[in-house]
């Protein structure tokens, strides 16, 4: 059952139907694997999968008034199987109560030098909250340096206390700093950045394409 509410006017609606009801071969057509950074882009795609919900996506459970604040990469595997890698060099934090999420401090934004940003990785646990984050990053982790491509954990389907089931995926977003060395609230869209230029892919809902891959000149940069 498809647990997202996709607008019929969205050109990518058929992709979600194909993902939700397709067989292994049909799903494979939608999977993006990008282990190296796209030309001119600093980040690698942190996991393989169907890049479904995009940045500024209005599809449910989001809306045009409160759009999606990152990207969701859906895994063609069971929880705890698809690896998640650090998208860039930086310092990992994991709050003491976080079961499924990490946030990574990037001291110097590679696209806006002098600005600090944060990378948020979420849903790395099963539905009961059993973590798929690597043991080297336990709750309470702070300032642990990792290089781009370091294994952080595996995708899952943990959704906190919500009664809404979700597909196995990674939620990835770029979060602004508060100016005092702390990350802002990722749940507020205004606190996040469009990942399109950082990954070199058309990841903004406004510039969505049927097939996902490196785009030499993304034309929907919102930062």
């Amino acid at each position: 059952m498809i647990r997202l509410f996709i607008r019929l006017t969205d050109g990518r609606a058929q992709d979600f139907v194909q993902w939700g009801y397709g067989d292994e071969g049909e799903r494979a057509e939608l999977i993006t694997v990008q282990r190296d950074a796209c030309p001119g882009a600093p980040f690698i795609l942190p996991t393989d999968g169907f890049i479904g919900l995009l940045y500024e996506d209005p599809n449910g459970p989001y809306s045009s008034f409160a759009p999606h604040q990152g990207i969701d990469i859906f895994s063609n595997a069971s929880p705890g199987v698809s690896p998640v890698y650090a998208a860039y060099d930086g310092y990992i934090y994991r709050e003491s109560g976080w079961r499924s999420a990490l946030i990574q401090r990037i001291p110097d934004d590679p696209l806006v030098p002098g600005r600090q940003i944060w990378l948020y990785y979420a849903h790395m646990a099963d539905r009961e909250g059993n973590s798929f984050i690597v043991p080297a990053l336990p709750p309470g982790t702070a300032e642990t340096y990792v290089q781009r491509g370091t294994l952080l954990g595996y995708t899952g389907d943990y959704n906190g206390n919500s009664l809404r089931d979700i597909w196995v995926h990674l939620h990835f977003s770029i979060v602004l700093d508060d100016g005092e060395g702390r990350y802002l609230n990722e749940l507020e869209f205004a606190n996040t950045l469009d990942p399109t230029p950082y990954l070199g892919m058309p990841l903004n809902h406004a510039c969505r394409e049927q097939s996902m891959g490196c785009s030499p000149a993304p034309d929907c940069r919102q930062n």
Side-chain angles (χ1 to χ4, degrees):
M1 174 176 143
I2 296 179
R3 305 184 191 279
L4 300 169
F5 301 97
I6 308 300
R7 301 181 182 194
L8 295 178
T9 55
D10 190 321
R12 300 176 67 250
Q14 182 55 42
D15 289 347
F16 282 94
V17 173
Q18 181 175 335
W19 186 260
Y21 293 102
D23 58 26
E24 287 298 310
E26 291 170 321
R27 278 191 162 203
E29 295 176 358
L30 298 173
I31 294 173
T32 299
V33 178
Q34 187 61 46
R35 298 292 172 81
D36 298 317
C38 289
F43 293 177
I44 62 169
L45 192 67
T47 192
D48 303 339
F50 166 45
I51 306 175
L53 283 176
L54 302 177
Y55 185 75
E56 209 165 355
D57 205 318
N59 286 301
Y62 304 94
S63 70
S64 56
F65 300 102
H68 193 224
Q69 67 276 32
I71 59 172
D72 284 356
I73 307 172
F74 297 98
S75 302
N76 194 22
S78 301
V81 173
S82 296
V84 175
Y85 302 103
Y88 196 66
D89 301 347
Y91 298 85
I92 296 292
Y93 286 74
R94 182 179 176 187
E95 303 289 357
S96 59
W98 285 5
R99 298 182 179 185
S100 70
L102 299 171
I103 198 160
Q104 182 182 17
R105 184 174 71 86
I106 311 299
D108 195 26
D109 183 336
L111 298 186
V112 184
R115 176 172 72 176
Q116 178 162 278
I117 57 175
W118 300 76
L119 308 185
Y120 184 64
Y121 310 79
H123 300 296
M124 291 186 287
D126 66 16
R127 292 184 184 183
E128 287 71 44
N130 298 302
S131 180
F132 297 137
I133 296 171
V134 296
L137 301 172
T141 292
E143 283 291 288
T144 296
Y145 179 75
V146 298
Q147 294 182 316
R148 186 175 74 176
T150 300
L151 179 66
L152 302 179
Y154 300 86
T155 58
D157 55 357
Y158 180 66
N159 202 23
N161 296 321
S162 174
L163 297 177
R164 180 174 60 88
D165 289 341
I166 57 173
W167 292 339
V168 178
H169 74 287
L170 175 75
H171 173 81
F172 176 74
S173 61
I174 304 172
V175 185
L176 289 167
D177 189 86
D178 67 357
E180 298 182 357
R182 289 287 297 172
Y183 53 87
L184 292 172
N185 182 2
E186 189 267 349
L187 295 178
E188 296 184 16
F189 180 79
N191 294 337
T192 62
L193 296 172
D194 184 349
T196 295
Y198 291 89
L199 284 158
M201 296 177 170
L203 299 172
N204 189 295
H205 186 262
C207 56
R208 59 195 181 277
E209 297 179 359
Q210 284 302 113
S211 60
M212 191 62 68
C214 295
S215 177
D219 59 1
C220 294
R221 299 183 180 188
Q222 300 296 307
N223 298 341

